[in-house]
């Protein structure tokens, strides 16, 4: 009886020691707490219709001072508020995007005119090359996560260039068609650079009615680089007339390019590049040589 009691006591002691050993190890395990980063996205302050009805907002976070490799966090939403969980006291580069697409949900994939699966390689979504371009907004910036104790407001800039086709002579015919062929491009939001994509795309504007002199026949939006010009050749076809090439047309983020001329006869064209983040009142004009 005494032996059984001692054996039970020894067994109990072993179990107790094992329990203590396990409990002692628990506090020594690394427990890294995350830092919440909440952004409120704003488009440029403007009354232009181009910034209305934005429906897809995206942020990607890259650890460090540049956006390379895969993002460590990504969030997209139909609202302007985006929240990420990041390491504390760490530098991150953030890429932001906003457009009229459909934000990803558990039941719905991300979709829209712009393919935004990777904000380092934004391009036109396959199958939408023939559709007229849409305005979009972006920004690349670096913050330290220690600064995220409060919400941050982030104002994006135009990711696209605006191009206006301006009829200088006026139109007397109705139900006209304007087809414009461009080279495609891919935009890296992190660097602000574009690369030429394989294949061209043709945007067709239909139902163009009579127009007064200097009226805008159509407006389009193209991906363009930040802080430099992307020079593109355009092929323009008005109704069933012979296509004409307009060479060396410059496009730049936040700039508008006006292509002016008498489209019905393809007379002299002139280009005007106007710099303005909001495409409103210009703060810089640059006249380019006319193309005959």
């Amino acid at each position: 009886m005494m032996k059984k009691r001692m054996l039970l006591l020894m067994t109990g002691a072993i179990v107790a020691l094992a329990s203590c050993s396990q409990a002692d190890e628990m506090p020594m395990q690394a427990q890294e707490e995350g830092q919440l980063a909440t952004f409120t996205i704003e488009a440029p302050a403007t009354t232009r219709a181009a910034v209305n009805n934005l429906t897809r907002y995206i942020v990607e976070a890259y650890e460090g001072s540049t956006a390379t490799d895969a993002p460590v966090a990504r969030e997209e939403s139909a609202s302007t508020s985006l929240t990420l969980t990041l390491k504390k006291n760490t530098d991150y580069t953030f890429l932001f995007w906003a457009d009229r697409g459909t934000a990803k949900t558990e039941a719905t994939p991300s979709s829209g005119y712009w393919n935004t699966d990777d904000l380092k390689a934004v391009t036109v979504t396959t199958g939408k090359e023939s559709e007229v371009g849409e305005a979009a907004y972006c920004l690349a910036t670096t913050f330290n996560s220690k600064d995220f104790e409060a919400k941050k407001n982030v104002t994006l800039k135009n990711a696209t260039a605006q191009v206006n086709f301006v009829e200088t002579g006026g139109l007397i015919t109705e139900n006209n068609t304007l087809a414009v062929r461009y080279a495609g491009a891919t935009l890296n939001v992190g660097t602000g650079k574009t690369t030429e994509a394989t294949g061209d795309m043709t945007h067709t504007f239909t139902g163009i009615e009579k127009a007064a002199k200097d009226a805008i026949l159509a407006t389009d939006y193209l991906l363009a680089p930040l802080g430099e010009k992307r020079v593109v050749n355009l092929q323009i076809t008005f109704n069933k007339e012979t296509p004409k090439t307009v060479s060396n047309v410059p496009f730049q983020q936040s700039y508008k390019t006006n292509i002016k001329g008498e489209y019905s006869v393809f007379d002299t064209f002139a280009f005007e590049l106007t710099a303005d983040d909001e495409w409103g009142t210009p703060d810089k004009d640059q006249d380019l040589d006319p193309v005959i």
Side-chain angles (χ1 to χ4, degrees):
M1 187 72 174
M2 181 65 70
K3 288 184 178 180
K4 286 185 177 181
R5 185 177 298 174
M6 291 189 62
L7 182 59
L8 288 171
L9 289 172
M10 291 176 63
T11 304
I14 292 171
V15 172
L17 286 172
S19 299
C20 290
S21 176
Q22 291 172 0
D24 289 343
E25 290 177 359
M26 293 295 289
M28 298 179 63
Q29 293 178 353
Q31 297 184 16
E32 184 174 323
E33 296 182 8
Q35 171 72 56
L36 286 181
T38 300
F39 300 97
T40 299
I41 309 302
E42 299 176 349
T46 174
T47 58
R48 290 183 175 270
V51 299
N52 294 337
N53 303 318
L54 297 178
T55 52
R56 178 171 62 172
Y57 301 86
I58 302 172
V59 58
E60 291 180 348
Y62 297 80
E63 192 169 335
S65 58
T66 58
T68 56
D69 299 324
V72 295
R74 175 184 165 103
E75 181 70 19
E76 61 180 276
S77 173
S79 74
T80 58
S81 181
L82 296 165
T83 300
L84 301 175
T85 301
L86 305 170
K87 296 179 184 177
K88 290 186 175 181
N89 302 318
T90 304
D91 287 332
Y92 288 94
T93 296
F94 298 93
L95 307 187
F96 297 92
W97 183 270
D99 63 15
R100 296 180 183 176
T102 300
K104 179 182 178 180
T105 66
E106 292 183 0
T108 306
S110 183
S111 62
Y113 179 80
W114 302 109
N115 183 335
T116 56
D117 291 345
D118 181 355
L119 294 186
K120 301 186 304 302
V122 177
T123 189
V124 176
T125 298
T126 300
K128 294 183 177 291
E129 293 88 351
S130 62
E131 297 181 18
V132 175
E134 294 182 3
Y137 303 86
C138 69
L139 183 71
T141 187
T142 300
F143 294 124
N144 190 288
S145 57
K146 67 182 179 182
D147 298 329
F148 292 128
E149 295 178 1
K151 290 185 178 180
K152 278 191 172 292
N153 292 337
V154 180
T155 301
L156 309 189
K157 299 292 185 180
N158 294 305
T160 53
Q162 183 190 84
V163 53
N164 296 312
F165 303 95
V166 182
E167 170 59 45
T168 58
L171 288 178
I172 60 173
T173 57
E174 297 180 346
N175 198 27
N176 300 288
T177 298
L178 178 68
V180 185
R181 191 174 74 185
Y182 311 90
T186 299
L187 171 67
N188 184 331
V189 174
T191 63
K193 304 289 186 182
T194 58
T195 55
E196 298 303 301
T198 302
D200 293 342
M201 55 188 184
T202 299
H203 293 175
T204 303
F205 304 88
T206 59
I208 300 174
E209 302 301 333
K210 295 179 181 180
K213 291 182 178 180
D214 297 323
I216 296 176
L217 302 181
T219 298
D220 209 353
Y221 299 92
L222 302 177
L223 290 175
L226 176 65
E228 61 184 27
K229 299 172 185 175
R230 175 190 173 209
V231 180
V232 179
N233 295 334
L234 276 61
Q235 184 184 81
I236 297 178
T237 305
F238 189 79
N239 291 331
K240 296 183 179 180
E241 297 184 25
T242 303
K244 300 291 184 181
T245 298
V246 184
S247 302
N248 301 322
V249 182
F251 297 106
Q252 185 171 332
Q253 272 186 27
S254 301
Y255 284 56
K256 62 182 177 183
T257 299
N258 294 329
I259 300 180
K260 299 179 178 180
E262 294 185 36
Y263 283 74
S264 59
V265 294
F266 285 97
D267 201 353
T268 301
F269 282 85
F271 302 104
E272 179 184 341
L273 182 64
T274 306
D276 178 26
D277 283 343
E278 288 77 39
W279 294 317
T281 304
D283 54 20
K284 175 183 176 183
D285 290 330
Q286 179 178 348
D287 293 328
L288 304 176
D289 294 334
V291 177
I292 307 299

